[in-house]
Structures are given as structure tokens and as C-alpha cells.
Amino acid sequence: MATGQLFSRTTQALFYNYKQNPIQRMLDFDFLCGRETPSVAGIINPGSDGFQKLFFGQEEIAIPVHGNVPAACKAHLTADVFINFASFRSAFASTMEALQQPTIRVVAIIAEGVPEGDTKKLIAYARANNKVVIGPATVGGIQAGAFKIGDTAGTLDNIISCKLYRPGSVGFVSKSGGMSNELYNVLARVTDGLYEGIAIGGDAYPGSTLSDHVLRYSNIPQIKMIVVLGELGGRDEYSLVEALQQGKVKKPVVAWVSGTCATLFKSEVQFGHAGAKSGGEMESAQAKNEALKQAGAIVPLSFEHFEQAIKETFDALVKDKVVVPVEHAKPPTVPEDLNVAIKNGRVRAPTHIVSTICDDRGEEPTYAGVPMSTIIEKGYGVGDVISLLWFKRSLPSYCTKFIEMCIMLCADHGPCVSGAHNTIVTSRAGKDLVSCLVSGLLTIGPRFGGAIDDAARYFKEAYDKGLSPDAFVESMKKRGIRVPGIGHRIKSRDNRDKRVELLQKYARTHFPSVRYMEYAVTVENYTLSKAANLVLNVDGCIGSLFLDLLASCSLFTQQEIDEIVDIGYLNGLFVLARSIGLIGHTFDQKRLKQPLYRHPWEDVLYTKAVKMRIEYAGDLYILK
């Protein structure tokens, strides 16, 4: 292991298994230290993704959440520390997965009770691949003024009183996280403070040992003396004894092994940690303290004298001018959380809306990060703006041209379709533009213009499963579902929809692949054998071609494609396009000063209730 410094002011970590308080404490420490960037780059919550809102000082930030370890590592290439808050049941699998990632250099395992066999496998893999494991059963570690792991060093008040917001000259390593906090206070009182501190964890087989970190500290120039706090049980301290005897540690080492009181008990005593149990004379605190003393470490008479020994060692270094004590600097004030801030008159409130598609806070608005001036200067069209605001990326020109074609071809389809009819009736009732537009838009659904998403969804499902056209159609029939995108009230085999033909011609010329559209055409061929009006309509054409656009442009993952269809992006195209026509009909009726509409009697069948049978043929319902 040896090498040197593990962390710096630019170190970033991935945090496994979201825990709000430890992450917020890390971010508050970052702010206290004056870091420019948060130390938590991303969060891993198995099976979920998105983001979590937290505070970085006064500013609220969104930290990305990833569903698995590889995805997080790929997204955050500079994050080389993995903080694992998984339970002891899943700590092994998640830690091993992290160690196998090329970007991860240090892993901290917080969980207690990890099976010893699993821990040994992790240690072997880490050593073979030159990686560092801290824990299991650790609170973590800290580099003063730079980076800390999770709950290390406790509350902000403790961090400030221990002067951990700026680096000192002492390297510290212990098995105990709780006792680490106590010693950080001691170091702040009698030295110029901590430079780096590690709690290796109290399990019998720690991922890294006391001597591993002492040898590291020997290679860090800023560390002038080393303080070690061990405990009875195990033989970890003897590797430090060996290093001291071999002269590998040139800096003063002040050490104490806790547990000397164990001799007062008549039977063997298990202290708090799994490893704090003497297995013989050599594992007793007394034997270890004596061995360390003989090897050259400064070992006090008791723990009560530990602080004095540290002070005397530090003072001697100052006297010899080995250490120039760090001057005290006042840290910034970390904003208090809401419940405390309200009481004290200082508030940081969370935001209520999250926006990822645009930003109007700068000199000019941006769409997905693209300034408005760039959009105008580069001649972006409506399709480009839609690609930025809907898909949050710039799509190739053939894609944006296709989007614009869809809008133009679907803008209107005459006054007789249900949407236009409703808008016309509402306009003639004297209603305002928005009311007229909405009345038409509300008719959009599975039977009118709103089948694009369903068409895409079912065509994709059938194609991806390798269903033949007849198997697909018949399976839909058995499920009682009409095939979305197939059937028309007017168009037929001999009277094709010109819009469909134009879109197909464009796609075949410009798209890298049209496999979904060609599949839809084979479905149409089968349905036409059933009835002449069961043609591929414009909804089905747009739906299948948009699948080809998304799949062939290589800008979307499979998950993103599924999400686009599920959310309703494709129906959004029809809504946007048809809004143009509906607004036109509204203005047309008002310009013509048309009176209130009343449906003519002769167009209504007035009859008593009779039993009737309804048969479905394509897009038509027939009463018999």
C-alpha cells in the first residue's frame, strides 16, 4: 500500500445507498473548508435514478442519482472514492463491484458485521489491484481542510472546535471512530491540529491496517508526527512494531493501545469492536504497548498521559523548527437548516420547481445550455428548438427537418374533424382564443390524433419480440385492442394519405434505418387483406418513424427511448402541430363574424331506445 496522500481538496466521491445526513455533513464540511466543488459527485441507489437536492453552503444543488455502480462511475470519471453505506448483507457485492471499476481508488465500508470471509476476499482483490479499503465497521476518514467521509468527526461544532477546516501537522490512525473524535480534540488542544485521520474499523480483519497508514503518513511531507491509537485483540499493532524496527518510519510516533483494564477481569472480555478481544498474551494491550515502546514509539504510562506525550513531542518539533505551527484562521459560517434558521432568523429554503431544459438567469436565456443568440445566429429552426427543449440535445439536421415536416403536415386536416369542429363551435360561442384552442385539444386521444405514442409502443413491442404481422394483429385482437396507427375513416387502399407517403419518402431517403416503419408497412399489408380502410394512417407512420429516428441517430439509450414513448413526447408533436390549425380556425370564425352554432335537426336521428348490435371494422363503428 504505502504510497502517500489519499485525498485532496479536489477529491470527489460516489456515495452508495442514499443517506441524507452523512452526505449533507460532507457538503457542509466542503463549504467550511472553502472547497470550490462539492465532494459528493453522485449517489448510487440500486434500481433508481434521478437526483437529490442538497445544500452546498447557501446554494441548493442537485446531485445525480444512478441505479448501479458502473453507470455512476462512467458518469463521474473523476470520482475515485467510493463511500459504501450498504448493509452488511450487501456490502461485499457492492464493494467488489466498486473495486472492479477502473476509476475507483479508495473504498470505505461503513457497515459492521460483514462476514470475515467476504472481507478477506475484498482485501485480497484490493491489494492485488493497488486499491485501498478503509473498514469494514469504520466511520471513515478525514483530511483536514480538504475531504471527509460521511459522518467522520461528528457535528460541525466539533469539526470547528477541532480546527479540522484547515490542515495541521499530525497524522492520526485508530481503530475506533468514536475515539478518533476524542483524539481530534486532543490534537487541536496540544498541537497545530490534524492533517489526516483514518479510522480503520473495529473488525478483526480491517481492509487496511494501522501500519499501512503510518507508512503512508511517512511519505506525506506535511505530516511531521504520527499518533496511533490501537486496542487489545488481534496483532495489527505488531506490523507497526516491525516497521519501526526496520527503520521504515522516520517521523516521531506517539502510540497507545487501549484495553489495559482487561487484566482486571477474571474471564476474557469482549469490548465494543468485533476485534477488541484478546486471544492471548501477545494480543493484550500491555504486550502491544511494551512492544511499541521497545521498537521506538513514544508510549505513555497510561491513556491519561497520552495527551501530555503528544504535546511534548509536538513542542519538541516546534523547538527544533521541524514544525512551523499553522496560524489560526476563522472558518466561514455554514448556513443553518430551516428549523434552526427560523429560530435564529437565518433561513435557507428549498426550491419548489426543478428545471433542466432552460435557464433565464444569465445575460440571455438558454435552451438546454445553448444561448438564444447562438440559436438565431446559426439559423436554428423550430425543429432544432424542439430538440433542445424536448430532448435536451441537438439532433442531426435530418431529424429536426423530420420534426418540422410532422408539424407542417399535421397542422390541420379541415374543419370537419372533431378537434376543429369543437374549436369552431366554441369560437362561434364568443369564447376567447385559449378556450377555443383547449376545446379542440381536449378531443385529442386514441381516436383522434393521440395514437402516435400507442402506435410507437405497440409496433416497437411487436418488432422487438420478432412477431410476424399476422401474429401481432391477431394477438391485439385477442387482447381486445385496436391496432393504433392502422385505419382511417376516409383513406383506403386506393386513396392513400398523401402525408404518409411524403413522410415515408423522406425517411427512406435520409434516415440511416427505417426498420420500424417497414415493419408497420408489413402490418398494413396484412390489415388491408381484412378491409380496404385499414391503412397505415399518419399517427402510425409518425410513431414508427420516430422510433427509427430515436434508434438510428445513436443519441439515445434504450431506456431513454422507452421513456420518451411512455411520457408522451410523440403525441406532443400532434398537439403542437394541430394547435396551429385550431388557432387558425378560431381566428377564421371570428374574422367571419359567424353566429352561435346550432346543430341542424335533420342531422340528428331522433328515435326511441332500441336494441342494437355494434360491429367494429377498422376505424368505423357500424350499427346493425
Side-chain angles (χ1 to χ4, degrees):
M1 179 172 162
T3 63
Q5 197 161 296
L6 289 182
F7 314 119
S8 71
R9 287 175 62 84
T10 59
T11 296
Q12 287 195 299
L14 296 175
F15 196 103
Y16 188 92
N17 197 13
Y18 177 66
K19 305 288 183 185
Q20 181 177 351
N21 288 339
I23 297 177
Q24 186 60 65
R25 288 174 186 139
M26 289 179 67
L27 299 177
D28 286 343
F29 178 76
D30 296 341
F31 180 78
L32 194 69
C33 298
R35 281 184 56 128
E36 293 182 359
T37 55
S39 60
V40 180
I43 299 166
I44 303 167
N45 248 7
S48 64
D49 53 24
F51 66 91
Q52 287 289 346
K53 296 193 299 178
L54 293 126
F55 283 103
F56 184 59
Q58 188 67 40
E59 181 186 2
E60 194 173 35
I61 60 174
I63 297 182
V65 177
H66 305 276
N68 57 73
V69 173
C73 292
K74 185 177 181 181
H76 308 284
L77 297 176
T78 59
D80 59 0
V81 177
F82 186 88
I83 301 173
N84 194 347
F85 266 73
S87 70
F88 71 91
R89 290 178 293 273
S90 59
F92 170 74
S94 51
T95 300
M96 182 59 78
E97 191 174 29
L99 289 171
Q100 291 170 348
Q101 305 304 313
T103 55
I104 297 300
R105 184 175 50 88
V106 180
V107 175
I109 308 170
I110 310 301
E112 296 182 23
V114 177
E116 292 180 356
D118 289 343
T119 301
K120 290 177 180 178
K121 293 176 184 176
L122 294 173
I123 294 171
Y125 186 91
R127 288 179 178 171
N129 291 275
N130 197 30
K131 302 198 176 188
V132 178
V133 174
I134 302 172
T138 181
V139 71
I142 183 171
Q143 183 174 319
F147 177 84
K148 89 179 186 89
I149 294 172
D151 292 315
T152 301
T155 65
L156 275 178
D157 289 341
N158 189 64
I159 288 171
I160 292 172
S161 67
C162 294
K163 303 174 185 176
L164 296 173
Y165 51 85
R166 79 333 176 242
S169 304
V170 182
F172 173 76
V173 61
S174 168
K175 290 187 176 182
S176 170
M179 289 304 296
S180 294
N181 287 347
E182 179 64 30
L183 264 294
Y184 295 155
N185 272 285
V186 169
L187 295 178
R189 287 197 299 269
V190 300
T191 73
D192 65 351
L194 181 80
Y195 185 83
E196 181 181 325
I198 298 291
I200 66 171
D203 278 5
Y205 296 94
S208 52
T209 65
L210 297 173
S211 60
D212 285 335
H213 295 286
V214 169
L215 291 172
R216 269 200 318 106
Y217 292 164
S218 297
N219 296 330
I220 300 175
Q222 296 90 334
I223 292 178
K224 306 302 181 182
M225 64 175 286
I226 301 168
V227 176
V228 180
L229 181 62
E231 62 185 26
L232 84 164
R235 301 198 175 191
D236 189 8
E237 289 79 359
Y238 288 104
S239 61
L240 176 55
V241 169
E242 183 178 347
L244 288 166
Q245 290 173 338
Q246 293 175 356
K248 294 180 178 179
V249 184
K250 304 297 184 182
K251 299 173 182 180
V253 176
V254 183
W256 178 255
V257 179
S258 298
T260 54
C261 65
T263 57
L264 300 176
F265 298 92
K266 294 181 179 180
S267 60
E268 190 177 63
V269 176
Q270 170 73 59
F271 288 83
H273 294 148
K277 180 179 180 179
S278 180
E281 177 58 27
M282 283 193 68
E283 294 186 13
S284 69
Q286 285 84 349
K288 291 181 180 182
N289 280 323
E290 183 60 26
L292 286 165
K293 184 176 181 179
Q294 292 298 323
I298 301 164
V299 180
L301 294 174
S302 67
F303 183 80
E304 285 75 13
H305 296 90
F306 198 23
E307 179 173 336
Q308 184 62 29
I310 295 170
K311 183 179 187 306
E312 291 174 357
T313 303
F314 181 79
D315 290 345
L317 292 172
V318 173
K319 183 179 179 181
D320 294 337
K321 297 184 179 181
V322 175
V323 173
V324 178
V326 178
E327 294 183 5
H328 176 70
K330 185 178 180 181
T333 300
V334 177
E336 297 167 320
D337 287 328
L338 190 59
N339 56 341
V340 178
I342 291 176
K343 182 179 179 181
N344 296 332
R346 294 183 295 272
V347 176
R348 61 179 186 185
T351 57
H352 300 290
I353 293 176
V354 179
S355 175
T356 63
I357 64 172
C358 63
D359 192 339
D360 61 346
R361 295 172 298 174
E363 294 182 2
E364 62 179 321
T366 61
Y367 293 166
V370 179
M372 194 69 68
S373 56
T374 301
I375 293 173
I376 299 301
E377 290 166 4
K378 291 191 175 181
Y380 282 22
V382 172
D384 297 290
V385 172
I386 291 173
S387 75
L388 293 173
L389 291 178
W390 290 17
F391 302 101
K392 300 200 294 185
R393 67 204 72 187
S394 292
L395 297 178
S397 58
Y398 73 86
C399 297
T400 57
K401 175 63 176 176
F402 174 75
I403 291 173
E404 292 172 357
M405 285 181 63
C406 292
I407 293 172
M408 290 187 287
L409 294 175
C410 295
D412 193 54
H413 204 213
C416 298
V417 296
S418 57
H421 178 82
N422 277 14
T423 290
I424 290 170
V425 170
T426 306
S427 179
R428 291 176 62 166
K431 302 290 287 184
D432 61 278
L433 171 62
V434 174
S435 298
C436 298
L437 174 61
V438 170
S439 68
L441 291 176
L442 289 174
T443 65
I444 295 176
R447 299 180 184 178
F448 170 61
I452 301 178
D453 284 315
D454 284 339
R457 186 176 297 110
Y458 286 113
F459 282 142
K460 184 177 185 301
E461 178 184 354
Y463 178 85
D464 291 348
K465 287 182 177 179
L467 294 180
S468 64
D470 57 310
F472 167 53
V473 173
E474 297 305 323
S475 68
M476 294 289 282
K477 183 177 179 180
K478 289 179 181 179
R479 294 159 67 182
I481 303 174
R482 293 179 297 163
V483 179
I486 295 291
H488 204 284
R489 293 183 65 87
I490 298 174
K491 300 301 179 181
S492 64
R493 179 191 293 110
D494 301 317
N495 179 27
R496 297 301 181 100
D497 191 333
K498 189 66 176 178
R499 298 174 299 175
V500 172
E501 294 177 346
L502 289 170
L503 291 171
Q504 288 177 330
K505 180 180 178 181
Y506 177 84
R508 288 190 173 111
T509 303
H510 296 92
F511 281 24
S513 170
V514 288
R515 62 182 185 272
Y516 288 107
M517 188 270 286
E518 296 295 2
Y519 180 78
V521 170
T522 62
V523 172
E524 178 192 47
N525 292 335
Y526 179 78
T527 56
L528 283 175
S529 67
K530 303 288 186 178
N533 71 317
L534 297 182
V535 293
L536 180 67
N537 59 38
V538 72
D539 289 357
C541 182
I542 292 175
S544 60
L545 283 175
F546 230 99
L547 288 175
D548 289 321
L549 183 154
L550 296 171
S552 64
C553 72
S554 302
L555 294 176
F556 300 91
T557 65
Q558 189 58 55
Q559 181 181 353
E560 287 176 323
I561 293 173
D562 293 337
E563 188 178 56
I564 286 169
V565 175
D566 289 340
I567 288 176
Y569 277 48
L570 309 190
N571 281 349
L573 276 180
F574 185 86
V575 171
L576 176 61
R578 192 50 56 96
S579 294
I580 299 171
L582 297 178
I583 291 171
H585 285 295
T586 301
F587 293 156
D588 189 45
Q589 295 303 305
K590 291 185 179 298
R591 184 172 54 250
L592 296 172
K593 297 180 173 59
Q594 291 296 288
L596 180 68
Y597 177 85
R598 192 177 194 279
H599 205 73
W601 290 337
E602 58 267 28
D603 196 37
V604 177
L605 172 62
Y606 293 93
T607 182
K608 294 180 179 179
V610 295
K611 291 182 179 181
M612 57 183 64
R613 181 164 53 91
I614 301 177
E615 289 185 0
Y616 171 68
D619 204 36
L620 299 176
Y621 287 94
I622 304 172
L623 304 181
K624 293 187 177 182

